[in-house]
Amino acid sequence: MTLWSALISGFSFGFIIAAPVGPMSILCMNRTLRQGLLAGLATGAGIALADTCYALVTVTGFRIVNEFTSDYEFPLKLLGSLFIGYLGVRGLRKGAAESRPETGHSGVLYCMISSFLLTIANPATILSFMALAASLGSTIGGSLLLPAGIAFGSFFWWLLLTLVILWISSRLPESFTRTLSLASALILILFSLYGIISAIYSLGNGSPV
């Protein structure tokens, strides 16, 4: 029963932590609209893999990662925000010219690696797993089934989101789908600007981001 509790708790936490709409959700939707199913799933898989890595660190000891991310919180958030902005600008430039190009193996790998790195560098992800470490009991929190459940829960959300976006876009005119793609790219740029401003502001005030 304890093992099942760890697996179910991990699945629920992985699903919940992935579900809120944020820059990674917008990125997954943008790539699905511009590049199709494989790009969306690869983006979600990269995010789920990062969540799983943090979950593994949570059950084996969080202190080292917490200290590292606290020391380098500003550059991590700044670089992550800049890269999100780059992806948004790239989406704006390509969105008007492309309807939905094929995504090759190199494109899938790029989608996965970039989303993994963005999630790893996100302080909000770190805080979420700090909350997980504090809230779960020692028996469940120490089980390796917890990261497995988180991996399944997180990826299930990204699979669901990708399929829903594809289903919606297939029933809309191509011009409207392209407009949605451009709008999502613009939202990514806005997320980027907010992240950059908040990182600089927090650094100037000497407070955590």
Side-chain angles (χ1 to χ4, degrees):
M1 182 65 180
T2 302
L3 296 180
W4 280 109
S5 298
L7 190 62
I8 294 172
S9 297
F11 183 92
S12 302
F13 187 82
F15 188 89
I16 291 171
I17 199 175
V21 176
M24 301 312 296
S25 298
I26 300 297
L27 178 62
C28 182
M29 289 187 282
N30 180 268
R31 285 176 170 172
T32 302
L33 289 168
R34 287 199 301 112
Q35 298 171 268
L37 177 65
L38 287 179
L41 288 179
T43 300
I47 300 168
L49 180 60
D51 289 342
T52 306
C53 288
Y54 271 122
L56 285 169
V57 173
T58 299
V59 300
T60 56
F62 204 89
R63 180 175 300 176
I64 296 176
V65 173
N66 186 31
E67 290 176 353
F68 174 81
T69 53
S70 296
D71 292 339
Y72 296 97
E73 188 173 359
F74 172 73
L76 285 173
K77 182 162 188 177
L78 184 61
L79 289 175
S81 298
L82 288 171
F83 190 59
I84 288 174
Y86 161 75
L87 294 174
V89 171
R90 186 182 179 192
L92 281 179
R93 293 178 61 184
K94 291 189 175 183
E98 299 175 356
S99 56
R100 192 173 306 163
E102 287 287 327
T103 302
H105 293 297
S106 60
V108 168
L109 185 62
Y110 170 79
C111 289
M112 188 174 193
I113 293 175
S114 60
S115 63
F116 171 80
L117 293 176
L118 282 170
T119 306
I120 282 289
N122 185 6
T125 306
I126 300 164
L127 292 174
S128 298
F129 281 94
M130 289 177 65
L132 173 66
S135 62
L136 291 178
S138 58
T139 303
I140 296 177
S143 173
L144 290 179
L145 284 179
L146 180 70
I150 287 175
F152 285 122
S154 179
F155 185 73
F156 180 75
W157 164 256
W158 298 114
L159 173 63
L160 183 63
L161 177 65
T162 303
L163 292 177
V164 168
I165 293 298
L166 281 178
W167 181 80
I168 293 174
S169 65
S170 67
R171 283 156 177 75
L172 295 173
E174 185 177 324
S175 59
F176 190 75
T177 300
R178 188 174 299 174
T179 300
L180 287 178
S181 177
L182 291 172
S184 63
L186 181 60
I187 293 173
L188 282 176
I189 295 174
L190 294 176
F191 271 119
S192 171
L193 292 174
Y194 173 78
I196 293 170
I197 293 172
S198 64
I200 294 174
Y201 177 80
S202 298
L203 181 67
N205 286 271
S207 58
V209 178

